[in-house]
Amino acid sequence: MFTRGRPALAVTAAAAVVATLAAPGQATAAPAPTAPAKGHHPSGGKQAVATGYGGAVSTVDLDASRSAIEVLRKGGNAMDAAVAATATLGVTEPYVSAIGGGGFFTYYDARTRRVSTIDGREKAPKAEKDTSFIDPDTGKPLSFDEAVTSGLSVGVPGTVAQWDTGLRRFGTRSMASLLQPAIRVAEHGFTVDQEFQDQTATNEARFRDIVPTRELFLPGGRLPAVGSTFRNPDLARTYKELAKRGPSWLYGGELGKEIVRTVQHPPKDPNATRNVRPGLMADADLPAYKPVWRDPTHVNYRGVDVYGMAPSSSGGITVGEALNILGNYKLSPKDPVTALHYYLEASKLAYADRGAYIGDSDHVNVPIKELLSKGFARERACRIKPDAAAPAPVPPGSLDGTRPPCGSPVKTTQALTHEGPQTTHLVVADRWGNVASYTLSIEQFGGSALTVPGRGFLLNNELTDFSFQPPAPGQPADPNLPGPEKRPRSSMSPTIVLKDGRPLLAVGSPGGSTIITTVLQILLNRIDLGMNLPDALAAPRATQRNTPQVFAEQAFIDRYGQALTAKGHQLTLFPGPPVGQIGAATGLEFLSPGVVQAVAEPVRRHGGSALVVWPTK
């Protein structure tokens, strides 16, 4: 039983955690964050940081965070609250989160003190081939713009099955009851903010070409006005029917058949000139879908245990390998430029290995143990020069099992595949110490742009995360080619950090292939540079994904650009969308027994929402 915490206790505990994470003799001072990361957010009643007890949540949206808190206050646990928040995000963040998508769930169970993960990634239909994204008329890969707005891009959705799977093992509430907060929001509506209007504007041209999408998201033929109320009665009815009939209504029932009809016969305006190709999904693909319990990835980094998501996500391996590489160096807040140099170089090497070796482990052999071994990390680390950035792209490492003084790299590299930066992440902790870290997506803002008629939700375009073209003869195999019932590689990185077997941190972010570097940089900021979690999350970001240029936020370029350029890094502004903003992270930290700090973005994507059940006074 937890008792009320005191403000002094929270502050003292926070300082103690920082002290234990910093290396001996390191100061805990940190560079200033992008914006103040405490107090109330300037718009919509959101706040970026909340500290208290009884449970905590951080999402990108106030309504979603409130749904989670409602469940926690009524005695639900972290799994229950995460499902309720996610269902609400399907209403208020329909362009990034919906039952037409999928995701990855990392969960700490306080009773067993174990971390589990659920792979709810979308799967390709059984008819998928490695040439499915090759234009038969030209023999060349489809352009991304043509592939994304099509039935070809839609994977079999995994979100509802993932909810059901998680609730059956860890939940204490029915899915039907957890859908109720989202149903209320869908019926009564939510206030349109600038972020929602911006996301709609990004999609306006293709939304106008798809009849049910235009009718839902462009009411009256116009962008929804900031400050207006947006209602989704179709989704409310869909949620009510799902609550009544259960997941089988989607996986083998009528809702699944409606999804397949939408994929096979996209509801395009007959007057539109856009070529919206039909997809390959069939009725039998829905009941064949099953989420997968996977062992989490795990590395020990400077005395804490970092758990992440295994393939089909590349997130856990790539974050883990980069941390293992960084573990070969003493990094200090007194010299952030050197720490950031090693961060960028470690990311570069880990991304090279990601492209060469990681795909859906149910279909390709992913050498997880080798990629996360300390020996392989030492072999890769020896290629980093302390004062000079390696020209990118760098080749992947050799997994031949030997450990030469400085391993010889493989000669070929894989190009960075396209991943839309539009996803969402949430974290939840409950009064018992259970923790959920959940990243989910429909891929692009607006997914495939295909709305299931009368159902109020968009379908994903996750299959565009596959590599579009098979390698040329004589080239190494690509682990991320399309294939029947295969999951496309993801970068989602829902992460949980334990210290002495107890939860310390949970963190994650949207951002496509930048998710990995966002999570990695937050951990670097928190563990090596001595920042508290709000500052670690708000600090300016840069992403190096084995590309010739380092893409960064303007504040990062202003602060570190000159010094890092002197080391050979080529920095340029991150192109977005949104331009100059990398990720939209959420996190939480246990400051002391029972006292949790929830943290959201203070500024990026107009800020997120952190709440606790009982705030410290």
Side-chain angles (χ1 to χ4, degrees):
M1 178 70 67
F2 291 113
T3 57
R4 286 179 180 267
R6 298 177 181 176
L9 173 64
V11 173
T12 302
V17 172
V18 171
T20 60
L21 286 174
Q26 288 183 352
T28 58
T34 306
K38 60 184 178 179
H40 289 272
H41 190 272
S43 66
K46 294 178 181 178
Q47 58 184 26
V49 180
T51 303
Y53 53 96
V57 60
S58 179
T59 78
V60 298
D61 175 74
L62 182 57
D63 287 308
S65 294
R66 284 171 171 165
S67 293
I69 290 294
E70 176 183 330
V71 170
L72 294 173
R73 283 181 174 154
K74 292 180 178 179
N77 67 11
M79 176 64 72
D80 303 324
V83 171
T86 305
T88 303
L89 286 170
V91 181
T92 59
E93 296 281 323
Y95 306 145
V96 297
S97 169
I99 59 173
F104 296 93
F105 204 118
T106 305
Y107 192 79
Y108 173 82
D109 178 40
R111 183 180 62 83
T112 62
R113 298 176 65 175
R114 293 177 62 88
V115 176
S116 303
T117 69
I118 313 171
D119 184 338
R121 179 69 156 166
E122 302 88 338
K123 292 177 71 172
K126 193 172 184 178
E128 192 84 9
K129 299 178 180 178
D130 62 1
T131 57
S132 290
F133 288 97
I134 301 296
D135 188 334
D137 295 331
T138 65
K140 297 180 179 180
L142 296 174
S143 69
F144 180 80
D145 287 345
E146 185 168 358
V148 64
T149 309
S150 76
L152 280 175
S153 71
V154 182
V156 179
T159 295
V160 171
Q162 187 177 43
W163 292 348
D164 183 56
T165 298
L167 289 171
R168 286 177 183 274
R169 179 173 295 187
F170 294 118
T172 67
R173 301 290 188 270
S174 68
M175 187 186 300
S177 69
L178 298 172
L179 289 170
Q180 298 310 308
I183 291 170
R184 291 198 303 270
V185 176
E187 289 180 331
H188 297 297
F190 62 92
T191 302
V192 172
D193 60 11
Q194 189 63 54
E195 180 71 10
F196 186 81
Q197 188 189 69
D198 290 348
Q199 291 180 10
T200 310
T202 299
N203 284 288
E204 183 176 3
R206 63 194 194 117
F207 279 10
R208 288 193 182 280
D209 289 344
I210 309 298
V211 175
T213 307
R214 181 179 66 216
E215 292 174 348
L216 177 59
F217 295 114
L218 297 170
R222 297 182 298 276
L223 292 174
V226 173
S228 65
T229 299
F230 188 93
R231 296 179 178 86
N232 192 337
D234 286 347
L235 184 57
R237 287 190 293 270
T238 299
Y239 276 170
K240 287 178 179 178
E241 197 73 11
L242 180 61
K244 183 190 305 181
R245 296 178 179 272
S248 62
W249 183 49
L250 195 158
Y251 299 99
E254 181 55 34
L255 181 59
K257 292 177 182 178
E258 292 177 28
I259 290 172
V260 171
R261 284 198 293 272
T262 305
V263 170
Q264 292 183 350
H265 306 284
K268 187 185 81 167
D269 186 324
N271 296 318
T273 59
R274 185 185 303 271
N275 183 12
V276 183
R277 296 171 183 263
L280 301 172
M281 194 184 298
D283 287 346
D285 290 317
L286 275 297
Y289 182 90
K290 297 291 185 293
V292 182
W293 289 101
R294 300 195 189 277
D295 292 334
T297 62
H298 169 236
V299 299
N300 184 276
Y301 184 68
R302 307 200 197 279
V304 298
D305 294 291
V306 181
Y307 291 89
M309 195 70 221
S312 57
S313 179
S314 64
I317 293 176
T318 312
V319 169
E321 181 187 342
L323 288 174
N324 282 341
I325 293 171
L326 290 173
N328 289 278
Y329 306 98
K330 185 176 181 180
L331 307 178
S332 168
K334 296 178 181 179
D335 187 3
V337 171
T338 294
L340 291 167
H341 167 69
Y342 281 111
Y343 152 70
L344 295 172
E345 292 300 280
S347 299
K348 190 182 296 180
L349 293 166
Y351 269 82
D353 299 328
R354 169 188 179 271
Y357 300 117
I358 303 178
D360 182 353
S361 57
D362 292 337
H363 291 261
V364 297
N365 180 27
V366 181
I368 299 175
K369 184 176 180 180
E370 179 78 357
L371 288 169
L372 290 179
S373 69
K374 299 292 187 181
F376 183 67
R378 286 193 296 271
E379 187 178 310
R380 297 298 274 151
C382 75
R383 307 197 70 82
I384 299 178
K385 297 179 180 179
D387 296 313
V394 300
S398 174
L399 296 178
D400 58 8
T402 63
R403 288 284 175 263
C406 193
S408 300
V410 177
K411 292 183 179 179
T412 57
T413 61
Q414 298 282 1
L416 185 68
T417 54
H418 186 281
E419 291 181 63
Q422 298 79 16
T423 302
T424 194
H425 181 80
L426 60 90
V427 290
V428 184
D430 62 32
R431 70 182 71 175
W432 301 281
N434 302 301
V435 180
S437 185
Y438 190 12
T439 315
L440 60 151
S441 181
I442 59 172
E443 219 274 350
Q444 286 288 109
F445 280 139
S448 64
L450 303 181
T451 296
V452 181
R455 292 301 178 190
F457 66 91
L458 288 154
L459 294 174
N460 70 84
N461 67 287
E462 297 290 359
L463 300 190
T464 58
D465 283 354
F466 281 126
S467 304
F468 279 15
Q469 185 166 19
Q475 295 297 309
D478 186 335
N480 192 41
L481 284 177
E485 299 183 286
K486 188 176 180 181
R487 291 173 164 89
R489 181 174 61 213
S490 171
S491 295
M492 294 185 226
S493 305
T495 301
I496 292 176
V497 180
L498 307 185
K499 186 171 179 61
D500 300 324
R502 302 290 188 183
L504 176 65
L505 300 169
V507 68
S509 178
S513 60
T514 71
I515 292 172
I516 292 165
T517 54
T518 295
V519 169
L520 181 61
Q521 191 175 357
I522 291 171
L523 294 176
L524 174 82
N525 291 343
R526 180 70 192 84
I527 298 171
D528 291 297
L529 298 184
M531 300 183 196
N532 60 35
L533 187 60
D535 287 355
L537 196 141
R541 295 179 187 141
T543 179
Q544 169 51 269
R545 294 161 290 162
N546 200 24
T547 57
Q549 293 174 310
V550 175
F551 292 99
E553 296 176 336
Q554 189 60 52
F556 186 95
I557 296 171
D558 293 343
R559 187 172 298 169
Y560 304 113
Q562 184 175 356
L564 289 172
T565 298
K567 291 180 180 291
H569 297 281
Q570 302 176 40
L571 276 71
T572 191
L573 186 67
F574 181 68
V579 174
Q581 293 185 29
I582 300 175
T586 58
L588 61 80
E589 178 168 347
F590 286 77
L591 300 182
S592 68
V595 179
V596 184
Q597 185 175 70
V599 184
E601 293 283 359
V603 174
R604 294 180 184 95
R605 298 195 188 177
H606 300 92
S609 171
L611 293 174
V612 293
V613 173
W614 299 109
T616 52
K617 301 299 183 183

